[in-house]
Each structure stands twice: as structure tokens, then as C-alpha cells.
Amino acid sequence: MKSKKMLALLLTIGVISSSALVGCGKSEDAKSSSANGQAQEDKEQYLNMVLVEPKTLDASKSSDRYSSEVLNEMMEGLTRIEQDKDGKDVIKPAGAEKWEHNENATVWTFHLRDYNWSDGKTVTAKDFEYGIKRTLDQKTGSPYAFLLTPIKNAEEYNSGKVSGDALGVKALDDKTLQVTLKQPCPYFLDLTYFKVMHPQRKDIVEKSGDRYGTEANTMVSCGPFKLTGWAHNSEITLEKNDKYWDKDKVKLQKVSYKIISDPSAKYNSLSNGQLDMAAVSKPEWIQRFDKTGKFDIVKGYEPSTNYTFFNTKDKLFSNANIRKAFSLAITREDMADTIFHGIFEAGYGWCPPSLQLNGKEYRKLVNEEPLKKLKEENPDPKELLKKGLKEVGMDPDPSKVTITYLCSGTDQWFRTYAEYTQQMYKKTLGVNIKAEYVKWPVFQKREKELDYQIAGAAWTGDYNDPNTFFDMWMTGANVVTTGWSNKKYDELVKKAQNTLDEKERLKYYKEAEKILIYDEAAIAPTEYRKKNTYRYKYVKDVMTPLFGTMELKYAYTAGRNQ
């Protein structure tokens, strides 16, 4: 299934709030104070957040976490991902008040509650059917269509082999949606709160045409908040949706997402109270914020991994030994300390520590990181490089090799990162690195067209199962365009997808991970991401699930001006 998912910016820890990077679970590392615990709710209820400009808010075309952050507050899917009193992720009824499935969990029936769109029209099962079919329609070109492949005939419909009538999605009546899967799927319910299964209004989409999702006046909402303003590259404004079925639990009247790309501007805005929360990475600002005593600090793993990826259609990086050399040459511990100020952790596996398989951490179950073994076997990556250069018929002298590293930003942070990368590869491999700086949309286009040699990004899981990290590298997924394909890898991931047996799934994913980063070095994981969010103490009841995005439905402020 052809698809394309936008990468989370590698460097966004210094740019946006942690929730826009990834939904972050409650952590026992969060430092909080009860000093303002008895403060009365503020008369004016609003929050100011920070965000990167989304490319679109069209749920079928959205491909970044920034748009997901906004869509989560605007829309009410079948379910919502929230947190219980212990901070554990839980899936709660939302647009669907209840559901059931057949004995082998292949036919799911969702019963919708009575609720409306922000223009007063009723949300129906037909809206859900239309939204799912539109996402899967190949004419839409959805970057997330691949997530819906568990649905019966989803791949066939996406490729144009069958009509929409054959797809396993049907509105039985206005209040009943039936979804039929091609086989039991261990993570299906986790898809029901994600944007790929949001309801969509056919009349609004068709009326707006190509403008749908690009301006505030092209959209309607059915969630806690409605989109009322979008000043591009400046601010996105949400206001409480008075048509929301559960509006009595929504206390915030307004949420403003400030589009701030410069880290210093962001930190200053947080310092002077123009922002209510943000991720902080620079040590000098961490010290400054700590001294104020005004913040709760949320720490912990994210379900996210930074990585370097290669254009395997490029002559140089078509060779596995060369890719292995570039992977092993990455100074992961030093990079985590120097570039990410010790907040992130060196990563020698692809699937991050926080991700779970049947409620148990995948990394602990596997009990190994493949790149550590590869590093032990190849203490000098330069020898691998020389070997690979000979294999592709090039001069084995590394000093004669010049490679272009494509950067997904143009500000100083990216330049600092590129300079570090240049020096690192010069020292470890003896090669020359040229940095090319482009804006994020250009980076996406270049990556999609294989117009690069080597680049860096981050991947954040969409649901709490290892599959969200492994299916993206299957042949034809095209989530990240590298040109790499491996039949054995595809077979292993498909086997893992098609069984509910925990031991079997673990075995298949473990072998697939070995092929991906040890045998083939198709990508090179660099760091496991962690959150370090500073939130003013007057901000209350913000849910930060490990998966999904930040939940503001129940949030409020108390003691803002004290």
C-alpha cells in the first residue's frame, strides 16, 4: 500500500512543546507542588501553547504530529486516549458510546452516541464510513492509509482493485458502524482514536475542494474545541465547541497555538508567561526555569527514536557495508550529551524502550540492542567503509569521498547539528560531509523523490505496539522513501501482524529488527527520545498519554495571576 508519513523533526526538542513531538505519558519523574493545589479556578480559562505550522488539518492528508495535536482537540472519533488515576493510557468511549466484536475479533460493531458537528448537524455512521474510505481512496493520496490495512480489502481498495462496496467498513444505520478485519489485529482498537478513523463531512470536503483543511473556514468540528482562526506561520486558535456532547466537562474557553520556530524566542515566551508550557532542552534555560519554582517538570521516555536514513538507490549507499560503516561511525553517547544536552539516550535499537508488546516493554523482552553487537564485531567502521567502496568500484580512500547531508531546517540549531555531524564523520570515517539546509516542506519533497544521499529524522509510534515501528519499512509502505526493500523482512512483519501469540510476535519482530539495522543497516537509530517539559504550576489536569497527543479536554488553570 502506497503511503507517506511526515517525519517528526529531528530537532524539535528545542522548538515545540513535547506534546507536539509525541503524546507523553505521566511519569513518576514529574516534579510537582501542592502550593497552588487549593487555588480557585481562574475566571478566564485559556492556554497558550507552541507548535510548528501544520501543512494541513485534513485528517486524510495530515502527516505530522503538529496537525494531530490540533485535530485531537477538534474532532471526536470513535474513542479517545486518556489516562487513569495512575497515569496509565486507557481507551475511553467517545463518539461511540459502546462497541462489541465477534468471537475471533474480526467484526467490530460501534454504536454512536447522539452528538453534533459544530454547525449543528448530527454526526452519523456515514460520516465515519466516508472518512475511512476517503483516507483509503488512492486519489486522496493519504500518507497514513497504510495504518488501515487490517481492514478487509483495504489494500485492494487502496490499489484500485476493488470498489468501496467491498471494503470492510459499513454504516448499518445512522448510529451503527461495522468494521470487518481481514484477520484478528492486536492493535485495532488503538486505531479508533487516531485521525485515520475520524468522521468527515462529505458536503464540507467537496465544497472546499483543495482548500479543505488549509483554512479555518473550510472545517467543522465535533470535538471539545472548534477551529476559529488560522493565521499561517503565526497562530492557530481553538475555542470551546458549544455543540460538543460533553461540553460541561470542558473548562477551557480558548486554546492558542503560537507558531514559534526560534528556540530562544520560545524560551523567552515561556519565561514571560506568554506560553503556559513548552519543552526545554538548553541547560542554561533549564537552570533559569528551575530557580523560579514556578514549573512542574515532566520527564520520561517518549515512544520515539531519532535516526539517520540513507538513499539506497544512491551508488554509495546501495552498499550494506557502507551503510553499516556510517551507522557505526555515529558517536551516539556523545551526540546525546552534546547535541541533546543529556536529555536523550543513546539508541542501539530501532523500537524504543517505552513501546510495549501485550503490556510488556519490547526492549526488555528482546533483551538486546542489535547495533551493540554490530559495534563489537566491527571496532573500526572505517574498514567496513573501505570494503564497501571497493565493492561498488570506487576508490577505497575515504578522504576522497564527499557526501551531502540533507537537513530539514535552516536555523542555527540545524547548523550546529550539521557541524557536529561533519566533524564526527570526518574523525570516525575520514570522509567529507557537505550540509544542505532546506525548509521542512522542501525536505519532505526531496525525501519522497529520493533526491538526497543521507538525512536525519525521528519516528514516533502511533499506537502502543511494536508494529508501529516495523510496518513502515515494509516494501510499498513508502512512509519514508529510502528505496530499501527486503522480502524476508516483509514476511516477518506480516507474520507478526497475523498472529495474536505473544511469543511468536516477539520472535518475528526481533528477527525483523536484526535485518533492518544489523544485517542491512537500512537505517541507523541514534537516540531514544525523552521528554523534558516545563509546565506552569497553575496549569491543571492536562493529560499527556504516552500515545495519541496531549489531551486538553479536562484542562483548566487555577492561580494564573498569583
Side-chain angles (χ1 to χ4, degrees):
M1 176 172 291
K2 192 172 183 180
S3 58
K4 171 74 176 68
K5 176 181 177 182
M6 183 183 289
L7 312 175
L9 287 175
L10 173 63
L11 314 171
T12 41
I13 188 170
V15 181
I16 62 177
S17 71
S18 62
S19 64
L21 289 171
V22 58
C24 304
K26 249 184 182 179
S27 169
E28 57 272 11
D29 292 331
K31 301 176 185 177
S32 61
S33 170
S34 59
N36 292 327
Q38 302 303 315
Q40 291 185 340
E41 292 182 17
D42 296 323
K43 185 176 182 181
E44 290 186 85
Q45 288 292 326
Y46 64 91
L47 281 180
N48 292 322
M49 319 281 284
V50 62
L51 200 68
V52 169
E53 171 82 2
K55 185 177 180 180
T56 180
L57 292 176
D58 180 343
S60 289
K61 296 181 179 180
S62 160
S63 56
D64 56 51
R65 296 201 58 80
Y66 325 125
S67 54
S68 294
E69 173 81 359
V70 180
L71 284 167
N72 182 63
E73 308 303 336
M74 289 175 54
M75 306 301 292
E76 187 82 330
L78 295 169
T79 61
R80 295 187 80 83
I81 183 76
E82 299 183 1
Q83 288 176 294
D84 62 17
K85 59 182 177 61
D86 298 318
K88 183 180 179 181
D89 285 14
V90 289
I91 296 175
K92 289 291 189 70
E97 59 184 356
K98 61 181 180 179
W99 56 86
E100 68 268 353
H101 57 72
N102 64 353
E103 187 175 353
N104 67 351
T106 56
V107 180
W108 293 69
T109 305
F110 297 90
H111 304 277
L112 304 189
R113 67 176 72 252
D114 292 328
Y115 74 117
N116 297 321
W117 293 94
S118 52
D119 63 359
K121 290 191 176 182
T122 302
V123 179
T124 69
K126 276 288 185 183
D127 295 330
F128 281 93
E129 179 182 347
Y130 172 73
I132 294 171
K133 286 184 174 179
R134 180 170 176 262
T135 297
L136 279 168
D137 190 335
Q138 61 180 341
K139 294 178 182 177
T140 303
S142 172
Y144 265 112
F146 74 100
L147 283 182
L148 295 172
T149 54
I151 297 175
K152 182 180 178 180
N153 286 327
E155 292 180 270
E156 291 80 0
Y157 176 58
N158 180 257
S159 60
K161 295 178 181 178
V162 301
S163 69
D165 292 337
L167 184 67
V169 179
K170 186 177 182 180
L172 301 182
D173 55 45
D174 283 351
K175 292 298 180 185
T176 312
L177 179 74
Q178 186 177 84
V179 181
T180 302
L181 308 182
K182 58 186 178 184
Q183 71 263 327
C185 176
Y187 55 86
F188 173 69
L189 198 60
D190 286 275
L191 300 181
T192 59
Y193 58 78
F194 197 55
K195 56 193 173 187
V196 289
M197 292 189 70
H198 279 175
Q200 298 184 35
R201 279 271 296 280
K202 183 178 180 181
D203 59 326
I204 299 293
V205 173
E206 292 183 345
K207 178 183 177 181
S208 301
D210 292 339
R211 295 181 64 250
Y212 179 69
T214 64
E215 302 291 343
N217 62 7
T218 67
M219 304 198 70
V220 288
S221 305
C222 59
F225 301 92
K226 58 185 177 181
L227 179 66
T228 58
W230 190 353
H232 290 286
N233 298 303
S234 178
E235 185 175 10
I236 291 176
T237 304
L238 301 181
E239 294 181 8
K240 182 176 178 177
N241 180 9
D242 59 4
K243 299 291 194 300
Y244 183 51
W245 71 272
D246 206 18
K247 64 180 180 181
D248 291 344
K249 292 182 181 177
V250 181
K251 298 178 181 180
L252 293 174
Q253 295 295 322
K254 184 177 180 180
V255 179
S256 298
Y257 293 97
K258 312 292 184 180
I259 310 300
I260 305 174
S261 59
D262 180 68
S264 294
K266 183 194 71 168
Y267 295 145
N268 278 311
S269 295
L270 182 62
S271 179
N272 62 30
Q274 291 179 319
L275 292 176
D276 295 311
M277 65 186 77
V280 182
S281 61
K282 291 190 175 181
E284 62 270 27
W285 281 98
I286 288 174
Q287 293 175 11
R288 186 182 304 185
F289 289 135
D290 284 348
K291 289 179 180 178
T292 68
K294 296 180 179 180
F295 297 92
D296 289 334
I297 310 164
V298 184
K299 298 177 180 290
Y301 280 110
E302 298 176 356
S304 186
T305 303
N306 288 347
Y307 66 103
T308 294
F309 60 103
F310 313 102
N311 176 2
T312 63
K313 297 301 182 183
D314 177 81
K315 180 180 180 180
L316 193 70
F317 291 111
S318 65
N319 182 273
N321 281 320
I322 292 176
R323 297 195 300 267
K324 288 179 184 180
F326 274 79
S327 177
L328 293 175
I330 297 171
T331 51
R332 289 169 172 81
E333 284 80 6
D334 185 72
M335 182 181 286
D337 289 338
T338 303
I339 299 296
F340 298 104
H341 311 295
I343 295 173
F344 290 178
E345 180 181 296
Y348 290 89
W350 172 231
C351 197
S354 57
L355 214 76
Q356 298 179 341
L357 190 153
N358 288 6
K360 305 168 187 174
E361 286 191 16
Y362 171 81
R363 286 260 67 94
K364 289 183 178 179
L365 290 173
V366 173
N367 197 31
E368 66 177 38
E369 292 176 291
L371 287 182
K372 287 186 176 179
K373 180 181 178 183
L374 187 64
K375 185 177 181 180
E376 291 173 1
E377 295 171 347
N378 300 275
D380 185 2
K382 189 181 291 186
E383 292 304 312
L384 274 177
L385 174 60
K386 292 177 180 178
K387 181 180 179 181
L389 289 171
K390 290 179 182 178
E391 290 172 346
V392 296
M394 296 176 65
D395 191 320
D397 182 358
S399 67
K400 295 181 179 179
V401 175
T402 299
I403 293 157
T404 300
Y405 191 101
L406 186 65
C407 298
S408 58
T410 59
D411 61 31
Q412 184 55 50
W413 202 102
F414 286 87
R415 296 180 185 278
T416 300
Y417 180 83
E419 289 171 4
Y420 178 94
T421 301
Q422 288 171 321
Q423 295 172 11
M424 175 186 73
Y425 278 130
K426 185 68 175 179
K427 181 178 180 180
T428 55
L429 293 181
V431 298
N432 304 299
I433 300 290
K434 287 196 311 180
E436 185 175 2
Y437 307 95
V438 297
K439 295 288 188 180
W440 180 237
V442 177
F443 179 87
Q444 287 183 279
K445 184 174 184 293
R446 293 275 298 274
E447 174 256 304
K448 183 178 181 180
E449 296 173 352
L450 282 172
D451 184 14
Y452 70 95
Q453 284 188 291
I454 183 172
W459 181 259
T460 298
D462 298 310
Y463 47 89
N464 200 3
D465 188 274
N467 195 70
T468 190
F469 268 75
F470 291 108
D471 66 351
M472 61 182 289
W473 302 114
M474 294 175 70
T475 303
N478 295 327
V479 180
V480 180
T481 312
T482 66
W484 181 76
S485 175
N486 184 284
K487 185 178 179 180
K488 179 65 174 176
Y489 179 89
D490 296 345
E491 292 174 350
L492 288 165
V493 177
K494 284 183 179 179
K495 286 180 179 179
Q497 292 173 335
N498 295 338
T499 180
L500 299 180
D501 186 281
E502 177 184 321
K503 291 183 179 179
E504 288 293 297
R505 298 189 76 220
L506 179 64
K507 180 181 71 173
Y508 296 140
Y509 285 134
K510 180 178 179 179
E511 191 174 346
E513 186 174 41
K514 178 177 177 292
I515 291 173
L516 181 68
I517 64 175
Y518 174 88
D519 296 336
E520 291 284 314
I523 59 170
T526 55
E527 296 92 20
Y528 300 131
R529 300 173 71 99
K530 290 184 174 181
K531 56 183 176 282
N532 196 58
T533 303
Y534 279 68
R535 181 189 301 158
Y536 276 100
K537 293 181 182 296
Y538 57 74
V539 178
K540 310 295 182 181
D541 288 0
V542 172
M543 289 185 177
T544 54
L546 184 63
F547 288 87
T549 64
M550 182 181 292
E551 179 59 80
L552 301 179
K553 175 179 175 178
Y554 309 100
Y556 67 98
T557 64
R560 177 186 288 273
N561 298 316
Q562 290 182 359

